[in-house]
Amino acid sequence: MPIFSKESLETLRQRVDLVDVLSAHMDLKKSGAAYKGLCPFHDEKTPSFTVQKGDTHYHCFGCGAHGDSIQFLMAHLKMSFLDAVESLAQRFNVPLQVIESSQEYTGPNKSALKEALDCACSFFQLMLLHTEKGHEALQYLYKRGIDLDFIQHFRLGLAPEEPGMLRKVLNGKFIKDEVMADAGLITKKESGLRDFFQDRITFPICDAAGAVIGFSARKYKEKTFGGKYINTAETPLFKKSKVLFALHHSRRRIAKERKAIIVEGQIDALRLIASGFNIAVAGQGTAFGESHANELINLGLNEVYLAMDSDEAGRQATLKIGDFFQKAGIEVKVVVLPFGEDPDSFLRSKGPEAFLKLMESSTDYLAFVVKVYSQKMNIESPAGKNELVQILTKQIRSWEHPLMVHESLRKLAHLVRVPESMLGVGQDYMPNIYVKKAGNAGLQSIDPDKILESDFIRWLLLAGHLSKNFIELAGLNIKTEDLRLEICRRLYEAYLECYRENTPCDLLALAIYIDDSEGQKVLSEILQKKVNLERAEEQYRETLKRILDRNWMEIREEVKSKIQSAQCSEEEVFELTKKFDELRRNPPIILNCRF
Ligand code: ZN
């Protein structure tokens, strides 16, 4: 993760215009000394979402949503803290000065790369739509039922066959070779610089804010060298393990409805989106990994539909991808397409309503798995059934979510018609909660103190309209020295200070205050997770209580081991015992303030 200089963050903070940021995503109208609009965080008919002129915070009088530009991008577009900072810097044209980077990236800044990619995207569009060379590719797309609206909406293009054309055009726009190379548009070969994409139809891949970060390119002539699709290679912007094709079109509705459809091909995903299923992403078959699953899970997913091609590769991808989600306690449904069809061909011939019906009649993951295995082994024979049960109970027990494990074992018993007790249903099962938590928060090591104190800081930073109450309650109960982690202590202190001085504590201000790499890294990690504002107060109190309990237990244990150490005098033991009893009689309680 790159670390930005204090000066550049300060410049950004001064230049960010909240109304400008918001206007890109919602309608705001001037009303007296304020701007008002329909709140994007709850359904309403009369506007209660308000920004006072010159203020760096928004507030909704309907649902209490409250925050600054960064919080808006994080909450509305589900961006990470770092992505939000970078997208603001790009929008307000502030070059972020990188002073340190844990990933050793020292090349041109990301805004320059995005600019080059956007120019390339426009150039590819032009090539497809307005040149003779584009004609053949265009005919190919038309034949596949892809019309002009579709092409323009999704910015499809053509990377030309002639070598060096893209380079010449981008050089003409003062974009340097170095930038193009870092953006993955050209590669350095012994014979010189070469275009990465040649004679292929291009599909841009965008980040959460809609900026192009790479391409997926499909061949449309048999003779073209290489696989059906090639993607941009790993670049500072394009991280293969995280990028999901078309997520940018679907992310908001996925986050809102908490369900997604995963398909194999790029065209399948775009066709679904164009047909109103804008909860679709393409996983690119077996290249879909656990970190892709986590990108979706972090959007708050509850349910996922897998609609892979109806061939062997599609079945294998379904088995593998389904496991990632089941493991995390997310319900997986398998949409079974008629033989030889993919979602694109199905939608074209049968229409969206038929696809919806297919979704409604989807199979659950476990039933699908049993069906796939039973085609390979004879599960009517006792030996075959035993083998199947062995394989599947092992798979199910590797899932982390206890309820999912329990329910799935019961379901399996029913599916293969064996008594539940044979599969160990009801036996104690201890999930490894810390491993899961660490995975979600992106924390490297499993450190309960770090998890607890990060939770505490996260509540303070992301509690929106509740934050005033929360900081008062914290001030009353938690002293800075109650926290173990130096970075959490510093963040807490900075936050308390802002509150005492009555200066708005926005996230950018905090990032400026914490100007070392470790600090910014932890801050960004803390902000990667969301808080659930339902029952927020209860959960927040629980966090405070756990911090106090932890410290109280520790002092008790210390006193106890001193007593037991046999190194104290009679008198000391007497005093220590008194202290121990007093501690035991007075467990910590949360002091209340006015709310
Ligand atoms: Zn609202």
Side-chain angles (χ1 to χ4, degrees):
M1 203 199 84
I3 304 307
F4 305 119
S5 76
K6 216 170 179 164
E7 293 73 26
S8 59
L9 286 173
E10 185 56 51
T11 313
L12 176 62
R13 188 162 172 261
Q14 282 165 10
R15 216 173 289 172
V16 166
D17 176 354
L18 178 62
V19 173
D20 191 66
V21 175
L22 297 172
S23 301
H25 305 284
M26 58 183 293
D27 284 330
L28 276 179
K29 290 211 169 62
K30 202 150 183 256
S31 149
Y35 292 87
K36 286 190 169 181
L38 291 175
C39 176
F41 299 106
H42 83 281
D43 280 327
E44 62 175 6
K45 299 238 156 53
T46 43
S48 38
F49 186 94
T50 316
V51 184
Q52 297 299 330
K53 209 173 169 194
D55 195 354
T56 54
H57 287 73
Y58 57 83
H59 186 82
C60 172
F61 292 97
C63 68
H66 180 94
D68 60 17
S69 318
I70 293 196
Q71 273 157 316
F72 180 82
L73 295 176
M74 289 173 68
H76 188 60
L77 296 181
K78 312 290 163 195
M79 281 189 185
S80 73
F81 172 67
L82 189 69
D83 289 342
V85 171
E86 285 181 341
S87 97
L88 287 177
Q90 200 187 355
R91 183 172 187 95
F92 295 99
N93 220 349
V94 177
L96 287 175
Q97 202 187 350
V98 178
I99 49 173
E100 191 186 322
S101 164
S102 50
Q103 271 147 25
E104 286 95 40
Y105 176 66
T106 51
N109 71 48
K110 289 182 181 172
S111 310
L113 303 187
K114 285 181 184 169
E115 195 196 326
L117 286 156
D118 199 68
C119 279
C121 189
S122 302
F123 168 69
F124 293 153
Q125 283 182 284
L126 188 91
M127 289 302 294
L128 176 67
L129 293 174
H130 304 292
T131 65
E132 201 150 316
K133 296 277 175 197
H135 191 72
E136 195 186 337
L138 212 48
Q139 290 309 313
Y140 167 85
L141 288 169
Y142 289 158
K143 237 180 260 162
R144 288 211 51 174
I146 291 170
D147 61 19
L148 210 54
D149 268 356
F150 190 104
I151 291 168
Q152 282 169 332
H153 184 69
F154 295 113
R155 298 185 74 187
L156 269 51
L158 176 71
E161 199 177 359
E162 295 81 350
M165 249 179 115
L166 173 72
R167 226 184 111 217
K168 210 184 282 166
V169 171
L170 265 57
N171 279 158
K173 292 183 186 288
F174 306 104
I175 294 168
K176 291 185 190 139
D177 289 345
E178 189 200 3
V179 173
M180 280 185 255
D182 279 358
L185 291 167
I186 56 174
T187 42
K188 287 183 186 118
K189 295 265 160 176
E190 274 170 32
S191 52
L193 296 168
R194 218 191 104 230
D195 294 351
F196 188 80
F197 300 107
Q198 270 178 313
D199 204 17
R200 280 171 179 268
I201 293 168
T202 54
F203 299 81
I205 301 178
C206 303
D207 66 10
V212 180
I213 54 170
F215 293 93
S216 193
R218 192 190 201 290
K219 66 174 173 187
Y220 65 102
K221 290 178 200 153
E222 263 317 306
K223 67 175 174 69
T224 307
F225 178 78
K228 190 158 117 182
Y229 280 99
I230 57 171
N231 291 332
T232 298
E234 197 85 355
T235 75
L237 292 177
F238 193 87
K239 302 282 170 227
K240 272 195 194 117
S241 63
K242 297 202 161 183
V243 170
L244 278 169
F245 183 79
L247 179 58
H248 140 65
H249 297 288
S250 301
R251 116 187 245 128
R252 268 177 57 196
R253 206 170 135 202
I254 291 176
K256 197 169 171 205
E257 296 182 13
R258 309 182 73 179
K259 60 183 177 192
I261 305 173
I262 300 175
V263 295
E264 272 178 70
Q266 283 76 341
I267 293 179
D268 296 323
L270 297 183
R271 176 76 66 194
L272 276 164
I273 291 164
S275 312
F277 297 91
N278 51 337
I279 52 169
V281 297
Q284 289 153 42
T286 43
F288 190 101
E290 197 153 8
S291 46
H292 292 113
N294 285 333
E295 288 292 301
L296 290 173
I297 292 169
N298 286 338
L299 294 177
L301 209 63
N302 265 341
E303 202 180 33
V304 62
Y305 291 85
L306 304 181
M308 305 295 157
D309 299 354
S310 61
D311 55 15
E312 184 52 27
R315 269 190 291 281
Q316 289 310 318
T318 305
L319 292 180
K320 184 182 146 196
I321 298 172
D323 190 64
F324 292 139
F325 289 102
Q326 292 278 139
K327 204 183 251 179
I330 287 151
E331 201 179 345
V332 176
K333 306 237 172 101
V334 181
V335 178
V336 184
L337 289 154
F339 184 75
E341 299 255 32
D342 57 31
D344 173 45
S345 64
F346 185 86
L347 276 162
R348 273 191 292 142
S349 60
K350 310 263 168 27
E353 267 165 45
F355 190 83
L356 193 63
K357 279 212 183 95
L358 219 53
M359 278 177 76
E360 281 162 2
S361 61
S362 54
T363 316
D364 82 76
Y365 178 72
L366 217 51
F368 178 81
V369 177
V370 170
K371 201 172 149 209
V372 170
Y373 276 106
S374 60
Q375 283 161 358
K376 288 190 237 165
M377 46 179 81
N378 175 16
I379 66 158
E380 293 309 318
S381 80
K385 190 186 270 190
N386 186 42
E387 195 187 346
L388 175 77
V389 166
Q390 296 292 335
I391 295 171
L392 291 186
T393 40
K394 196 173 160 210
Q395 183 183 358
I396 292 169
R397 287 194 174 278
S398 75
W399 297 343
E400 282 153 26
H401 204 279
L403 191 66
M404 183 63 95
V405 172
H406 180 81
E407 287 301 312
S408 301
L409 287 175
R410 286 188 58 184
K411 214 180 268 172
L412 177 63
H414 177 76
L415 282 166
V416 298
R417 296 190 300 279
V418 298
E420 288 180 8
S421 58
M422 256 185 78
L423 303 185
V425 176
Q427 283 169 13
D428 278 347
Y429 168 75
M430 281 303 290
N432 193 344
I433 45 169
Y434 275 130
V435 171
K436 183 155 184 282
K437 270 195 166 174
N440 279 354
L443 300 176
Q444 295 295 299
S445 55
I446 301 153
D447 176 354
D449 287 334
K450 194 171 178 183
I451 291 171
L452 180 61
E453 292 179 8
S454 297
D455 271 347
F456 170 60
I457 301 291
R458 189 178 303 114
W459 275 118
L460 288 178
L461 297 180
L462 301 181
H465 68 296
L466 293 170
S467 56
K468 195 167 172 290
N469 294 339
F470 279 18
I471 187 78
E472 277 180 20
L473 196 60
L476 217 53
N477 287 284
I478 307 283
K479 294 189 283 297
T480 320
E481 57 269 27
D482 285 337
L483 302 178
R484 301 251 164 91
L485 274 81
E486 203 257 339
I487 176 65
C488 291
R489 279 206 293 266
R490 278 200 288 147
L491 285 166
Y492 181 41
E493 217 163 324
Y495 199 80
L496 276 177
E497 177 120 346
C498 284
Y499 177 70
R500 276 191 227 109
E501 292 183 357
N502 208 10
T503 48
C505 188
D506 53 61
L507 296 179
L508 213 47
L510 216 55
I512 295 168
Y513 179 85
I514 303 296
D515 62 347
D516 62 293
S517 60
E518 184 56 23
Q520 281 192 12
K521 192 166 151 237
V522 173
L523 179 63
S524 160
E525 278 171 2
I526 288 175
L527 293 173
Q528 258 172 36
K529 254 175 95 177
K530 286 184 292 174
V531 296
N532 181 358
L533 287 177
E534 274 170 49
R535 294 175 43 230
E537 195 186 321
E538 201 181 318
Q539 292 184 51
Y540 177 62
R541 280 173 186 274
E542 174 71 26
T543 305
L544 297 185
K545 181 82 168 40
R546 277 168 56 205
I547 294 175
L548 295 178
D549 280 351
R550 175 193 70 184
N551 297 354
W552 173 73
M553 281 296 285
E554 200 178 78
I555 302 173
R556 264 183 55 175
E557 287 308 304
E558 233 170 71
V559 175
K560 198 164 121 193
S561 63
K562 255 191 214 157
I563 297 172
Q564 291 167 343
S565 70
Q567 310 228 319
C568 303
S569 67
E570 288 280 311
E571 239 166 76
E572 282 166 335
V573 169
F574 179 71
E575 283 304 317
L576 285 169
T577 313
K578 235 170 73 184
K579 192 175 169 191
F580 182 79
D581 284 336
E582 202 182 301
L583 274 168
R584 200 174 48 185
R585 274 196 306 272
N586 298 300
I589 45 161
I590 301 285
L591 301 173
N592 275 316
C593 50
R594 293 178 265 116
F595 69 100

